[in-house]
Amino acid sequence: MASRVWDRLCEIRRRRFVGRTQETLLFESVLASKQLPWQVLYIFGVGGVGKTTLLREFAYICQEAGTPVVHVDARNIEPYPESFYKALEVAAGVEFQINEPQRRRERREERGFAQDGLWDAIACHSGHYVVLIDTYEILISLEDWLLQVFLPQLPENALVVLAGRQPPSKAWRSDPGWEALTYTLELCNFSLEESCAYLSKRQIPKQQYECILNFTHGHPLALSLVADVFAQQGEFNFRPEAAPDVVKTLLEQFVQEVKSPLHRAALEVCALVRLTTEALLADTLGLDDVYDLFQWLRELSFIESGLHGVFPHDLVREAISTDLRWRNPERYAELFSRARTYYIKRIQQTEGAELERALFDYVFKSPQVRQFFVWQDNSNLLSDTLRETDISALVAMVAKHEGEVSAKLAAQWLAKQPQGVLVFRSCEGGTPLGFMMMLALHEVNTEDLQLDPATQAVWNYIQQQGSLQPGEKASFCRFWMAADTYQAVSQIQSLINIKIFRHCVTIPNLAFMFTAFAEPDFWEFFCTRANTPLLPEAYFTVDGRQYGVCGHNYRVEPVMEFLRSLPDWVLAMSPGLSSVNHSLEQIESVEVFRQSEFTTAVRQALRDVLRPEALQQNPLLNSPIVTKCIGSNTSTPERIATLQLILEQAIESLKRSPRETKFYCALYHTYLQPARSQEHAAEILDISIGSFRRHLKAGIARVTEILWHQQSEN
């Protein structure tokens, strides 16, 4: 059986692991003990300090000791109990029983959703059983459930290792039981010896150590970035200028020294979007095949893999995106606009949870917008319909934050339009943690509208814009809040915003959409830039308190046009940036060819592919197949390198077809690794010279066809 890429990744990671002697010795001693001294090992440390790497090493230690180990990353888990259990069972190789027997299901429910398969697997093992959970901070909303339900149910031979950025919360420290059964370990920067050992394993020249160590202070991520710079650039003297932000300075140097403009573009895209996939990368860069680029990204030390794509370390993302916006704002806007196109297609083609994820990814692209959202891969909240038992809790929630008069209005609407209420609760069920009420104004009679100052004000505004026509709809998010934080930026507030976006995208014939705000001044910047401006004429007063309303008229700007305009207002939040129109008429210095001229240019480019100085005169340097990849305002060397890569990729693509493999071989031995002569190339391939020339001619025609198709799409 052939080895997997995963095996190679593990081998490289293990080979590069250094230091952490005290931590690994501690872990090994715990595994060797007859009875576990504690049930939880809690590891914390700043970003980039090596928590994930240490957990991987713990997993290797377990494998060598014959100790079963389950390793999960919370970034790949929806943080609620059922998803948490499923992830653990999948990692443990335990089959998750969907259609389980009634008796088994009852036992599971009695145990708080505990899955017997996982529990039995742990309990039946005669020795210790290790559960490694990385990025624990994402699960912080589940902490009470973990302490009260999950961890107490574990068999006593289970050791749980948690790794996150924050030290244990008060919930851990205030419980004398968990305080005694938890060992806390802070992970710090490498020592001098550990740093030197790492640099040695990465084959960094010793004469460079002092300067590097003075600059990085042993920060593992910074050290790995230095090593990546060496790997990309080869031998050079590392003399960075003093800077307070080590990672930012290193990344600026790293980005400048990547192997080609396309590789730099791939890294920039990865920093701008929430999650990068091959499909997104191909669409954003305008390439058919980005497999090699995507694999290169995955191999970088600061890139992590998640359930739905790859993403950079937080420090890396911030450094690259900030640097790009400062260094080349037009390029930033261009990549932003291309990502917009990709997300628009996803929004149009998906539904359900996938649609919400597309909307979430879409909004994520703006650094300024992020301040109005809590960014997590998934929510631990259930979006549920209204239950009879929820009504009193929701009315009490409104009373707490808005007063008794508003609470009475909420009770009236709960009775009249219960179908428009979405309740957010923890995945264990129970008391609502928040809710939103989306009123269908087109279904309400005039008398009911007049009972509430809010609906009356919004309805009056609609009448001023022109009465609703038959079939048109108008929606009003009348009440929305979290039980504890009301309308402040929070996890529930962020989810509500995404639900509103989803409502606008999925409701047919929507003419108007409105949302009420208790603090309109705080939201004014966001609403204005989102093209859902505050509408003072629709403001209303309840019990002496004034509320704001924002809205959008979809008659004037339909929903998909509205979404397409989002990058414009997002970019408007960053002074100096403007959206980019990619139509060929708007791009300067772009040549459009007749097909015969294009064919001639491709043939000449293939002959010169290994001679950059000859490619300087090739007209393809100004063609759309090049400028779409790196933009029109780029240097000649950048365009030459891009054209070389495009030609190589077009040739390499022929390998995927058994029928065209022979064409690839002829092109490869003629242009990429040229033989002494065509006769010699034919000998290498063990074919006649006549067959070789036919294959070469067909290969040139096929590559020309591929590139012509790419230009035509542009």
Side-chain angles (χ1 to χ4, degrees):
M1 180 178 176
S3 298
R4 299 172 301 163
V5 174
W6 174 253
D7 299 321
R8 187 178 178 189
L9 281 172
C10 292
E11 180 186 353
I12 294 172
R13 289 167 175 168
R14 189 78 196 277
R15 193 166 60 240
R16 289 184 178 178
F17 182 82
V18 299
R20 305 305 188 197
T21 304
Q22 293 182 351
E23 292 83 357
T24 53
L25 286 176
L26 172 68
F27 186 73
E28 288 171 349
S29 68
V30 173
L31 290 187
S33 63
K34 185 175 181 180
Q35 182 176 8
L36 292 173
W38 11 264
Q39 303 296 145
V40 176
L41 173 58
Y42 193 115
I43 302 172
F44 72 96
V46 298
V49 79
K51 299 181 293 294
T52 297
T53 303
L54 182 60
L55 257 59
R56 288 178 184 144
E57 184 65 16
F58 284 176
Y60 299 143
I61 292 173
C62 288
Q63 292 168 8
E64 291 177 348
T67 301
V69 59
V70 177
H71 189 183
V72 296
D73 190 328
R75 282 176 293 211
N76 300 330
I77 303 173
E78 295 183 16
Y80 59 85
E82 284 286 2
S83 178
F84 184 77
Y85 279 123
K86 288 179 185 179
L88 290 178
E89 292 196 329
V90 169
V94 178
E95 183 178 359
F96 182 72
Q97 300 293 333
I98 297 177
N99 298 316
E100 56 188 333
Q102 176 68 25
R103 181 169 174 271
R104 186 185 182 96
R105 183 165 62 253
E106 291 173 355
R107 288 176 59 199
R108 172 173 62 82
E109 293 172 351
E110 289 172 2
R111 304 168 84 177
F113 297 110
Q115 297 297 322
D116 292 333
L118 177 62
W119 258 244
D120 291 344
I122 298 175
C124 292
H125 184 69
S126 58
H128 301 320
Y129 200 108
V130 177
V131 178
L132 306 174
I133 301 175
D134 200 2
T135 326
Y136 174 67
E137 63 269 14
I138 290 181
L139 299 178
I140 199 66
S141 56
L142 279 182
E143 191 161 72
D144 288 343
W145 173 82
L146 288 168
L147 287 170
Q148 297 170 19
V149 179
F150 173 74
L151 292 172
Q153 292 183 30
L154 284 174
E156 61 181 358
N157 63 324
L159 171 65
V160 177
V161 182
L162 305 176
R165 293 191 177 186
Q166 303 299 324
S169 67
K170 184 179 179 181
W172 290 91
R173 302 192 308 271
S174 61
D175 187 318
W178 281 120
E179 187 178 25
L181 294 179
T182 302
Y183 187 92
T184 302
L185 181 65
E186 181 178 6
L187 208 59
C188 302
N189 284 0
F190 280 159
S191 66
L192 177 61
E193 294 75 14
E194 291 172 330
S195 299
C196 291
Y198 179 82
L199 294 176
S200 176
K201 286 203 172 188
R202 295 297 301 269
Q203 300 180 336
I204 307 300
K206 288 187 177 181
Q207 61 268 27
Q208 303 281 347
Y209 284 13
E210 183 178 0
C211 183
I212 293 172
L213 295 177
N214 289 339
F215 186 68
T216 63
H217 303 287
H219 186 273
L221 176 59
L223 287 169
S224 70
L225 284 169
V226 170
D228 285 341
V229 172
F230 272 90
Q232 294 287 326
Q233 191 170 347
E235 293 187 6
F236 75 107
N237 289 323
F238 185 77
R239 292 289 184 270
E241 297 179 357
D245 191 336
V246 173
V247 175
K248 179 177 182 294
T249 302
L250 285 171
L251 278 169
E252 289 172 356
Q253 187 164 2
F254 177 81
V255 172
Q256 291 171 5
E257 301 298 337
V258 294
K259 60 179 70 175
S260 78
L262 273 181
H263 287 78
R264 178 166 63 247
L267 193 57
E268 290 166 347
V269 169
C270 192
L272 289 180
V273 300
R274 191 170 73 97
L275 292 169
T276 300
T277 62
E278 275 196 57
L280 180 145
L281 197 61
D283 206 83
T284 306
L285 297 183
L287 299 174
D288 290 330
D289 185 3
V290 294
Y291 176 81
D292 291 338
L293 285 174
F294 190 75
Q295 293 304 312
W296 174 78
L297 280 175
R298 294 179 67 183
E299 292 170 0
L300 294 176
S301 62
F302 49 81
I303 299 293
E304 295 289 339
S305 295
L307 185 62
H308 301 291
V310 300
F311 55 94
H313 189 282
D314 291 344
L315 299 177
V316 172
R317 183 193 297 280
E318 186 63 29
I320 293 177
S321 60
T322 300
D323 175 68
L324 178 60
R325 281 165 50 214
W326 170 80
R327 174 172 49 84
N328 193 340
E330 291 78 13
R331 175 65 174 162
Y332 181 93
E334 184 179 12
L335 292 177
F336 208 107
S337 228
R338 292 178 181 180
R340 169 201 65 179
T341 302
Y342 173 79
Y343 287 127
I344 285 290
K345 287 190 292 187
R346 277 188 62 203
I347 290 169
Q348 291 175 313
Q349 296 168 4
T350 57
E351 58 185 19
E354 186 69 20
L355 170 60
E356 289 188 14
R357 188 156 51 245
L359 289 166
F360 203 71
D361 290 345
Y362 189 81
V363 179
F364 177 85
K365 298 195 302 300
S366 167
Q368 284 75 17
V369 171
R370 292 176 204 167
Q371 64 182 303
F372 296 99
F373 289 82
V374 173
W375 298 101
Q376 282 186 202
D377 278 353
N378 293 287
S379 173
N380 64 302
L381 302 169
L382 280 177
S383 303
D384 199 6
T385 56
L386 180 68
R387 305 174 187 172
E388 186 67 28
T389 54
D390 294 332
I391 295 176
S392 60
L394 300 189
V395 171
M397 200 182 301
V398 176
K400 173 184 175 182
H401 295 292
E402 298 187 4
E404 294 297 335
V405 177
S406 284
K408 291 180 180 178
L409 294 172
Q412 292 175 0
W413 287 120
L414 286 170
K416 293 179 180 297
Q417 290 200 5
Q419 71 280 3
V421 179
L422 202 57
V423 180
F424 305 103
R425 59 181 102 245
S426 73
C427 294
E428 302 163 67
T431 304
L433 301 178
F435 79 102
M436 63 182 291
M437 179 187 293
M438 189 71 72
L439 299 181
L441 298 181
H442 50 280
E443 296 179 358
V444 182
N445 60 46
T446 304
E447 183 180 347
D448 286 339
L449 289 171
Q450 294 175 347
L451 293 176
D452 183 354
T455 52
Q456 184 175 17
V458 168
W459 188 253
N460 290 342
Y461 176 85
I462 293 175
Q463 300 308 302
Q464 294 170 10
Q465 307 303 311
S467 301
L468 289 179
Q469 301 302 308
E472 285 188 331
K473 299 175 183 177
S475 298
F476 181 21
C477 189
R478 172 63 179 93
F479 291 98
W480 62 274
M481 64 190 67
D484 296 331
T485 57
Y486 188 39
Q487 294 183 357
V489 175
S490 68
Q491 191 176 358
I492 290 176
Q493 165 271 330
S494 302
L495 184 56
I496 288 172
N497 271 315
I498 294 301
K499 295 292 185 183
I500 292 174
F501 270 106
R502 177 179 176 177
H503 179 87
C504 296
V505 171
T506 57
I507 297 299
N509 301 320
L510 185 64
F512 295 94
M513 175 67 214
F514 303 95
T515 304
F517 294 97
E519 301 291 341
D521 291 345
F522 173 80
W523 293 99
E524 181 178 12
F525 180 78
F526 176 81
C527 293
T528 301
R529 298 303 185 183
N531 203 13
T532 56
L534 294 175
L535 307 172
E537 55 268 55
Y539 282 20
F540 60 93
T541 301
V542 175
D543 198 21
R545 180 179 181 180
Q546 188 180 58
Y547 295 82
V549 174
C550 77
H552 186 83
N553 185 342
Y554 290 107
R555 289 171 170 170
V556 177
E557 186 179 34
V559 62
M560 296 315 298
E561 291 183 17
F562 164 71
L563 284 174
R564 289 188 181 94
S565 73
L566 282 179
D568 295 334
W569 63 259
V570 167
L571 291 169
M573 293 180 175
S574 301
L577 297 183
S578 60
S579 61
V580 176
N581 188 330
H582 294 291
S583 63
L584 296 180
E585 295 79 10
Q586 298 284 329
I587 300 178
E588 298 179 356
S589 303
V590 174
E591 296 189 15
V592 181
F593 299 86
R594 296 186 181 92
Q595 191 163 6
S596 59
E597 296 171 339
F598 186 83
T599 300
T600 301
V602 171
R603 288 178 178 273
Q604 187 61 50
L606 287 171
R607 287 193 289 268
D608 298 333
V609 68
L610 298 182
R611 301 167 56 229
E613 68 282 357
L615 285 176
Q616 290 185 22
Q617 307 304 319
N618 195 292
L620 290 179
L621 290 185
N622 295 321
S623 69
I625 62 173
V626 172
T627 57
K628 186 177 180 182
C629 291
I630 60 171
S632 56
N633 298 320
T634 49
S635 66
T636 298
E638 287 178 313
R639 295 193 186 201
I640 290 173
T642 302
L643 178 57
Q644 287 176 312
L645 185 60
I646 290 171
L647 292 169
E648 292 172 12
Q649 288 179 335
I651 294 173
E652 293 281 337
S653 69
L654 301 183
K655 287 194 299 184
R656 294 197 295 267
S657 168
R659 186 179 66 84
E660 296 178 337
T661 300
K662 55 183 178 288
F663 305 157
Y664 161 78
C665 293
L667 291 167
Y668 179 83
H669 288 292
T670 303
Y671 301 124
L672 300 185
Q673 284 289 345
R676 293 191 303 271
S677 63
Q678 290 189 355
E679 288 76 12
H680 183 224
E683 291 177 10
I684 293 174
L685 297 175
D686 195 23
I687 58 177
S688 68
I689 184 63
S691 296
F692 176 85
R693 287 171 177 165
R694 286 195 301 273
H695 296 171
L696 179 60
K697 182 178 180 180
I700 293 172
R702 185 71 183 98
V703 167
T704 303
E705 179 185 1
I706 291 171
L707 297 180
W708 177 255
H709 178 68
Q710 288 183 12
Q711 171 169 277
S712 300
E713 286 186 332
N714 294 342

